[in-house]
Amino acid sequence: MVLNNADIDPHRNEHGYYECLSCGTRTTSDDPLGRCVDCGGEVRNIGVARE
């Protein structure tokens, strides 16, 4: 079996990695997060490269 780029995406994460902009809590989630699980503050996905 020959694999190509359409079969494997090496940059795809199995989980989202999130950091709260208010309290700094970091967590993972299979579903997109909109708010921090600890304080309810806004979160950002840190599993995505920032250029």
Side-chain angles (χ1 to χ4, degrees), residues 7-35:
D7 297 324
I8 299 174
D9 181 358
H11 302 289
R12 184 170 185 257
N13 292 325
E14 292 180 11
H15 305 285
Y17 296 94
Y18 298 92
E19 179 179 49
C20 178
L21 299 175
S22 297
C23 70
T25 296
R26 290 187 173 188
T27 189
T28 60
S29 176
D30 291 334
D31 300 318
L33 290 181
R35 295 286 170 191

